[in-house]
Amino acid sequence: MKLFNTLTRQKEEFIPQGDTVKMYVCGVTPYDECHLGHAMSYIIFDVLRRYLEFRGFRVSYVQNFTDIDDKIIARAQKMGISTTELTERFINQYFADMDALNINRVDIYPKASEEIPDMLKVIQGLVDKGYAYASKDGVYFRVNSDPDYGKLSHRSLADLIPSTEGGSEKEHQLDFALWKAAKEGEPCWGSPWGKGRPGWHIECSTMALKYLGESLDIHGGGQDLIFPHHENEIAQSECFSGVVPFAKYWLHNGLLHWGEEKLSKSSGNLITIKQALGRFSADAIRLFVLSSHYRSPLTFSEQALEAMERGVERLRQAAWGGGGNGVELVEVVPFQRRFIEAMEDDLNTPQAIAALFDLAREINRARDEGFMVDQAQQMLLGLANILGLRLGEEEAHLEAEPFIELLISVRNELRRNKQFQLADKIRTALGQLNIALEDASQGTRWKYRK
RNA sequence: GGCGGCGUAGCCAAGAGGUUAAGGCGGGGGUCUGCAAAACCCCUAUUCAGCGGUUCGAAUCCGCUCGCCGCCUCCA
């Protein structure tokens, strides 16, 4: 398959370096709830992982938690709780969100706070080799010592000179902290350079090296991480290990926008995953994310999500319910081929989805004509599953289910007696309670709608 | 200032030199049905921001113009 590599700015044939695809995606800083932008990124990399596994690759997938950081310290102080209490809470919420979105768990979720000794080893190594130096307020990476610095973001140090002055303790303005000296009242760890805590970038380098080795196959994240985070990760990792490349393929997803307004945590226009799941199904959210190419920006809108919900409903309709007794008519292979070809081309999920919709139409058509559709439905479910779409009939088993069934049977009795007014009244009333009835030739179906 | 991206139907969104410009949502018409819903069928871009150029041939390549956006600072 072909993947667009940020490092080379072109699509490249994906060839893993060993038997197992080593994949690392930057995780969250758990100081608040995750929003739909996070969902977008993790859905995309979940689909990549699912697709690689579908193609027969073994994948070892690591994702970190940055559970020690300025924002965490500030938030915990504000809330009057410990940083661990805070991060545990949001890590739990993170897992709940991911599970609800049908994002498969990755293999290892290291936490920065539990990897300090390994980080110190990396920092020490960089200092020993002259790539880093201790200063008054911590240890810094010396960007001038790395001739490759800027290769991911395609910038030279000259391009990058910031307009504002700052960081007087640094040799170069772009030198970045590997270790930050502790301030009063902050969580800290002992180190050869005094009490302190790790800088942001060092954790990813350390964890990737530790859990996946010196050269990853895939390193992913949002486009906002290209500079400085990933650039700095490369610098640290390659200077420390001497192994190039630190990651063979760098993949970055486009960012989620919010209509006219820019995504901003301060303006409060974020929609959390939890809120979104209260209004839309996980399938609709996934379809929304995957309906545009992963490298393009995507703009959130209620309208778009509602459209996706209807689309998903059509796929579900096709995937379930028996066909006729005739032979199996739908030729599934061409649809599968189209799906795979699309995915092979830098994960072209919009085209893959188009194949799914076309297959759904074929299933419905064949079924209308009385043909058997079991295999086609299996194919639809199987391909949808690569995108993480469950297409399940609404899982929510309602307490009221027996009563709904009862009302339906009463109503059908009324219909048989041509008491349509009363029958319609039941249907309308149930509709107001979000229970939709559909009278088909095989019987009456009902669905719960959010 | 530096680097990069985008502009395709009412809306969302693929396509990146050559068969009818995917697919979804919406809209219009029809079939089925007691009605409704669902489903299916037909229609809904002679044209891809604009203007030039390259080419036998361009939405796709090149140049310019207009409009929008991201990154260079914390961020998936």
Side-chain angles (χ1 to χ4, degrees):
Chain A
M1 90 183 284
K2 286 198 161 65
L3 291 173
F4 184 91
N5 191 349
T6 306
L7 207 50
T8 57
R9 284 182 174 165
Q10 47 194 345
K11 283 187 201 172
E12 294 173 19
E13 190 60 37
F14 175 68
I15 304 161
Q17 300 167 91
D19 299 340
T20 302
V21 176
K22 293 183 280 184
M23 179 166 164
Y24 187 96
V25 174
C26 289
V28 295
T29 302
Y31 73 103
D32 205 343
E33 288 191 53
C34 291
H35 53 73
L36 275 181
H38 297 111
M40 178 175 174
S41 192
Y42 299 122
I43 287 169
I44 286 162
F45 288 106
D46 178 57
V47 168
L48 174 61
R49 187 253 200 109
R50 286 170 186 260
Y51 184 71
L52 289 171
E53 286 176 347
F54 166 76
R55 293 299 273 157
F57 291 107
R58 256 184 316 186
V59 179
S60 186
Y61 184 2
V62 176
Q63 192 179 104
N64 66 298
F65 283 112
T66 305
D67 66 343
I68 178 67
D69 149 283
D70 293 347
K71 292 188 292 285
I72 289 173
I73 294 168
R75 180 64 62 93
Q77 274 172 357
K78 197 172 153 194
M79 293 173 74
I81 57 177
S82 72
T83 53
T84 348
E85 209 175 322
L86 180 80
T87 56
E88 265 175 23
R89 183 152 126 201
F90 288 117
I91 286 172
N92 288 336
Q93 181 65 49
Y94 174 86
F95 283 125
D97 288 343
M98 295 300 117
D99 290 350
L101 288 170
N102 199 26
I103 291 168
N104 285 150
R105 299 269 178 127
V106 312
D107 300 296
I108 307 171
Y109 288 100
K111 293 184 184 127
S113 66
E114 293 170 3
E115 309 288 340
I116 306 284
D118 290 283
M119 292 189 216
L120 290 174
K121 277 183 218 160
V122 175
I123 297 170
Q124 185 67 63
L126 288 169
V127 171
D128 291 347
K129 290 180 184 174
Y131 291 113
Y133 58 93
S135 106
K136 222 173 173 178
D137 54 0
V139 180
Y140 289 94
F141 185 88
R142 181 178 278 132
V143 291
N144 270 322
S145 67
D146 177 13
D148 278 350
Y149 192 79
K151 69 179 173 185
L152 180 71
S153 52
H154 302 275
R155 286 160 199 185
S156 66
L157 278 176
D159 293 338
L160 284 165
I161 289 176
S163 48
T164 50
E165 298 293 321
S168 53
E169 302 300 330
K170 299 190 280 189
E171 290 177 4
H172 184 112
Q173 287 187 351
L174 288 161
D175 288 353
F176 53 91
L178 301 172
W179 187 257
K180 294 180 175 180
K183 295 192 193 103
E184 198 54 38
E186 288 179 353
C188 59
W189 289 262
S191 85
W193 309 278
K195 284 191 181 303
R197 59 193 161 88
W200 174 34
H201 318 292
I202 195 67
E203 59 170 295
C204 287
S205 293
T206 304
M207 296 173 188
L209 292 167
K210 177 173 172 184
Y211 294 104
L212 294 170
E214 291 169 330
S215 193
L216 312 176
D217 292 302
I218 295 172
H219 192 130
Q223 275 169 358
D224 51 348
L225 296 180
I226 296 173
F227 190 90
H229 185 53
H230 288 164
E231 194 69 70
N232 291 351
E233 268 189 60
I234 292 178
Q236 291 166 346
S237 305
E238 293 184 354
C239 289
F240 173 76
S241 71
V243 175
V244 177
F246 166 54
K248 197 172 171 193
Y249 304 91
W250 285 87
L251 269 49
H252 293 98
N253 61 274
L255 302 183
L256 189 66
H257 293 219
W258 307 80
E260 296 301 300
E261 280 183 73
K262 193 193 159 191
L263 159 67
S264 147
K265 292 185 179 180
S266 51
S267 70
N269 59 352
L270 299 188
I271 303 220
T272 65
I273 293 174
K274 209 159 80 175
Q275 286 168 341
L277 282 166
R279 297 219 37 207
F280 307 103
S281 69
D283 279 353
I285 294 170
R286 292 188 74 113
L287 196 66
F288 171 64
V289 167
L290 300 172
S291 67
S292 91
H293 187 84
Y294 77 91
R295 282 189 284 113
S296 306
L298 182 61
T299 302
F300 171 82
S301 82
E302 299 259 325
Q303 216 181 359
L305 263 298
E306 278 159 15
M308 294 305 153
E309 199 71 76
R310 286 179 215 114
V312 152
E313 189 54 42
R314 226 177 100 224
L315 294 177
R316 282 194 194 116
Q317 204 79 35
W320 298 98
N325 300 316
V327 291
E328 185 89 21
L329 178 83
V330 180
E331 183 70 54
V332 296
V333 174
F335 294 98
Q336 184 188 38
R337 188 163 50 226
R338 263 176 68 195
F339 182 95
I340 292 171
E341 273 171 15
M343 296 296 278
E344 289 288 306
D345 183 16
D346 194 29
L347 228 54
N348 192 332
T349 53
Q351 283 198 330
I353 289 168
L356 252 40
F357 275 101
D358 285 342
L359 175 56
R361 172 174 290 111
E362 283 306 303
I363 289 171
N364 287 327
R365 198 194 331 227
R367 182 158 51 190
D368 281 358
E369 289 167 11
F371 293 98
M372 200 160 120
V373 290
D374 296 15
Q375 282 174 27
Q377 288 180 317
Q378 284 314 303
M379 179 58 77
L380 179 60
L381 285 168
L383 296 178
N385 185 249
I386 295 169
L387 303 180
L389 302 173
R390 289 196 186 95
L391 302 187
E393 294 185 304
E394 195 52 62
E395 288 100 37
H397 286 290
L398 304 175
E399 303 262 331
E401 203 166 320
F403 304 104
I404 295 166
E405 301 287 352
L406 179 67
L407 280 167
I408 288 172
S409 71
V410 170
R411 176 171 169 273
N412 282 336
E413 192 68 35
L414 291 168
R415 289 175 66 218
R416 270 191 291 279
N417 296 324
K418 305 223 182 287
Q419 303 208 36
F420 295 121
Q421 273 200 340
L422 209 50
D424 289 351
K425 196 173 170 184
I426 292 172
R427 183 172 61 196
T428 309
L430 282 173
Q432 281 162 357
L433 299 169
N434 294 329
I435 307 295
L437 299 192
E438 290 172 14
D439 299 319
S441 53
Q442 307 97 317
T444 300
R445 272 196 303 249
W446 68 273
K447 287 180 209 168
Y448 177 72
R449 289 215 170 98
K450 278 182 184 168

